Amino acid sequence: MIFAISDLHLGFASGKNMDKFGQNWVNHHEKIKKNWISKINENDTVLLCGDISWAMRAESVWPDLEFIDNLPGKKIIISGNHDYYFSQINKIKNAFETISFLIKNHFVVENKIICGSRGWVCPGSSEFAEKDNKIYLRELQRLKASLDSCRDFEDRDIYIMLHFPPTNENKENSGFIDIFKDYKIKKVIYGHLHGNDYFSAGLQGFRDNIEYILTSCDFLDFDPILIS
C-alpha cells in the first residue's frame, strides 16, 4: 500500500519544536510515530511531501532522518521550502536504508509511477512577487524533468508529489495544472498549508479527473493517509 504525509517539521538536532503553533502540535512526532506504526508495515511506501526537518545542513538533519528511517516501510521524500539541507543532498542521499529522495527522477511503486518537485507559490497568489517567477518556472522544469525521466509509462498511473499547492488560493489554473493534464496525471499529493484558515486554499478532491490530496500533518491529525 502507498500512504502519504507531509510537513513533519522535525527538530531533534535543532531543538526547535512546533508547540507555539497550537496544542495539537505538542509532542507531534510521538503522534506521528504511534499512528504510523499502527497501520504501516515494511512492505508499504510512504510519500513525504516536504518540510521534513528544520535542519539547515546535512550533518544536522541526521537525527530527523534516522527517526523516519526507523519507522516501518519505504519512504520517498521531496524538498519543502524549509528543507535547506537539500542543498547538500549528495552527502546523505544514499545514507539511509529505507529513504529515497525525489529530485528530477522517478520511482515505480506497486505499478504506480511517482514523480514530482517542490513546486512554488503560483502566479495570482497574494504572496507571489516578481522574484518568485524565476523559481516558479524552474520548478515547472524540474517537474517535467522528473516526468521525462520515465520514458515508458506502460499505461501505469502517475502520482505527483509536490510540497506547495499547485494553484493559487483562488484555485486558478497554473503551469503545474497544465503539466498534469498533458501527462494524464491521476493523483497529486501536496502539503505546505497549515491551520483551518488555510486548508481550504488548496485543491481537494477531483478536478478534471485528477485527484488532489492535501497531506499536511495537522490537516491529517498527524496520521498518514492511504492513497493507494
Side-chain angles (χ1 to χ4, degrees):
M1 293 188 284
I2 304 176
F3 295 84
I5 192 167
S6 68
D7 301 87
L8 274 59
H9 287 292
L10 299 174
F12 292 116
S14 67
K16 187 169 183 175
N17 62 51
M18 298 288 288
D19 296 5
K20 68 179 181 180
F21 294 103
Q23 185 64 31
N24 59 324
W25 282 97
V26 175
N27 293 322
H28 77 285
H29 66 281
E30 292 295 343
K31 298 176 186 179
I32 294 168
K33 182 177 180 179
K34 179 181 178 181
N35 291 328
W36 190 306
I37 291 173
S38 73
K39 62 170 58 174
I40 295 168
N41 64 47
E42 299 298 338
N43 296 318
D44 296 328
T45 298
V46 184
L47 309 181
L48 294 160
C49 296
D51 278 4
I52 304 308
S53 171
W54 288 110
M56 301 292 288
R57 301 180 62 81
E59 54 269 23
S60 55
V61 77
W62 211 268
D64 300 334
L65 293 180
E66 281 186 331
F67 173 83
I68 295 170
D69 193 42
N70 288 330
L71 294 171
K74 303 175 183 67
K75 302 93 183 180
I76 300 173
I77 294 177
I78 61 167
S79 172
N81 55 303
H82 291 296
D83 290 313
Y84 295 108
Y85 66 90
F86 251 73
S87 64
Q88 301 175 323
I89 198 66
N90 287 336
K91 294 182 179 181
I92 57 174
K93 68 179 181 180
N94 298 315
F96 297 92
E97 184 177 354
T98 70
I99 297 175
S100 300
F101 295 94
L102 184 57
I103 312 169
K104 296 191 287 188
N105 55 346
H106 73 278
F107 296 94
V108 178
V109 180
E110 298 182 5
N111 207 36
K112 307 293 191 296
I113 298 173
I114 312 297
C115 297
S117 75
R118 177 183 59 178
W120 198 248
V121 180
C122 289
S125 169
S126 59
E127 299 179 356
F128 192 85
E130 183 178 351
K131 63 181 176 59
D132 291 304
N133 195 56
K134 180 179 180 180
I135 305 173
Y136 167 76
L137 294 175
R138 184 181 67 197
E139 290 298 321
L140 292 177
Q141 291 303 312
R142 286 178 172 174
L143 176 58
K144 290 193 70 174
S146 175
L147 286 158
D148 291 341
S149 71
C150 184
R151 297 293 183 181
D152 188 4
F153 294 120
E154 297 180 353
D155 296 322
R156 290 178 289 196
D157 290 346
I158 308 171
Y159 293 179
I160 295 295
M161 295 175 65
L162 294 175
H163 176 65
F164 285 85
T167 64
N168 59 35
E169 59 266 32
N170 297 316
K171 303 181 180 67
E172 296 173 330
N173 195 31
S174 72
F176 294 107
I177 302 293
D178 292 339
I179 292 173
F180 300 157
K181 291 178 180 179
D182 287 345
Y183 285 83
K184 298 179 173 58
I185 302 305
K186 292 296 182 182
K187 295 179 189 282
V188 177
I189 303 102
Y190 69 95
H192 185 66
L193 301 177
H194 296 295
N196 292 329
D197 293 339
Y198 295 95
F199 293 148
S200 61
L203 285 174
Q204 297 181 47
F206 284 89
R207 182 163 121 174
D208 297 326
N209 296 315
I210 302 169
E211 185 179 8
Y212 294 88
I213 304 171
L214 174 60
T215 64
S216 300
C217 254
D218 47 336
F219 179 73
L220 299 181
D221 197 22
F222 309 96
D223 191 1
I225 186 173
L226 177 68
I227 64 166
S228 177

